[in-house]
Amino acid sequence: MGNLSKADSKATTDDGPAPPPSYTETTQAPNADAHTLPTYDQILMNPVVSPYHSFPSLINAYYQWKITREFHLGEDRNQRLYCVSTHAGLTSRGPGKPGVILHNGPTGKHPMLAAAGEEPNWNIYSLNSIITLPPLPGSSSKMSTEIMRASTKQNTIRFQFSIEVGQGLHLRREDFEWRKSNGDEDKELVEPPWTCGFKLMRSSQHDGEGNCRTASGTSEAIANGSEEVLAVFAWSSRWSLTMPFKIQFRKGGLVDVMGERFTLMVIITALRLWGLKHQGRTSSSTVTSGEAGIVPGATG
């Protein structure tokens, strides 16, 4: 992993509630060092291969008092490990389209670790999210790109993606999906005041030759409801402005089991879901409209 000084291991922001950041550019506070923040092109010129700090099994989001497009992730309020910045795509500070950047450190000045955003020519019904990750081991590329796609199946909204799992060079590619929780069906996965918004499940995996196959026992597990939940993405039912959501890795989804790349993909896709949720794009009506090919403003 990369190195970061101990002095940098905590965010230098005030505690307390703040309006939730969204995919909207906001004005920097008067004392902000805006001129020192890197542009998106500069961020891409300094790719990061791995996180500077291991990801804990419980990751909380922490907002700030002041109006800002940045918030933090960490296991507790006193150790905010990673900065997250949201962008409307209106300035060179962001990716040129709405999206979210996970920085490899506690400030927006740190390099990009991962990003998620819109596909080209997107609209409110677009189903694909473009995910940017560090390159695979041995790759000459500065980054790699994955896709998370929304769909409906068995009356459940799903956001599906594929990613490598495993340790070191011993990686295998598998398929996963964030399933939207319906009502109280998943209330046993979290404790009040938290509400389970999405649960992460394995859908299939690939063999060593790249052929897709159903994960062992998946069909039977679907039938009897015993599928393993790998992670939970939950938010506060009390609309907390200090700790609005959390990502909880469960036993089968821990980094020691699934690997660092899987963990990073889970975090950046959860951040993407948080933005889509506030845009109304995780609703059944929006996703089914996207599947039907509806174009906003079009008349038939």
Side-chain angles (χ1 to χ4, degrees), residues 127-128 148-161 176-182 185 197-203 218 222 227 273 276 281-284 287-288 291:
L127 301 175
N128 292 336
M148 179 173 71
R149 183 172 177 82
S151 66
T152 56
K153 184 178 180 181
Q154 299 175 338
N155 298 318
T156 300
I157 302 299
R158 303 163 189 250
F159 289 81
Q160 301 165 312
F161 62 85
F176 302 90
E177 57 189 27
W178 284 109
R179 294 183 194 171
K180 187 175 182 180
S181 296
N182 297 315
E185 67 177 14
F198 290 87
K199 57 185 178 182
L200 183 69
M201 320 291 290
R202 177 187 276 107
S203 54
T218 297
I222 292 174
E227 290 177 280
L273 289 176
L276 293 175
R281 294 170 63 185
T282 63
S283 68
S284 176
V287 175
T288 54
E291 291 180 308

Side-chain angles (χ1 to χ4, degrees), residues 13-17 63-65 77-78 80 242:
T13 54
D14 298 330
D15 291 337
Y63 285 163
Q64 306 177 52
W65 260 115
R77 191 177 303 280
N78 295 319
R80 303 183 183 187
T242 55

Side-chain angles (χ1 to χ4, degrees), residues 210-225:
N211 300 314
C212 181
R213 59 185 175 85
T214 301
S216 177
T218 297
S219 298
E220 293 80 0
I222 292 174
N224 61 31

Side-chain angles (χ1 to χ4, degrees), residues 142-212:
K142 289 186 175 181
M143 66 194 69
S144 65
T145 301
E146 300 286 353
I147 294 176
M148 179 173 71
R149 183 172 177 82
S151 66
T152 56
K153 184 178 180 181
Q154 299 175 338
N155 298 318
T156 300
I157 302 299
R158 303 163 189 250
F159 289 81
Q160 301 165 312
F161 62 85
S162 300
I163 195 64
E164 291 77 17
V165 303
Q167 306 292 342
L169 298 177
H170 303 287
L171 302 177
R172 64 187 183 278
R173 193 167 177 85
E174 296 190 19
D175 300 334
F176 302 90
E177 57 189 27
W178 284 109
R179 294 183 194 171
K180 187 175 182 180
S181 296
N182 297 315
D184 294 331
E185 67 177 14
D186 296 315
K187 61 182 181 181
E188 74 280 359
L189 296 177
V190 294
E191 296 181 356
W194 297 98
T195 298
C196 179
F198 290 87
K199 57 185 178 182
L200 183 69
M201 320 291 290
R202 177 187 276 107
S203 54
S204 67
Q205 62 189 25
H206 296 253
D207 60 27
E209 297 179 354
N211 300 314
C212 181

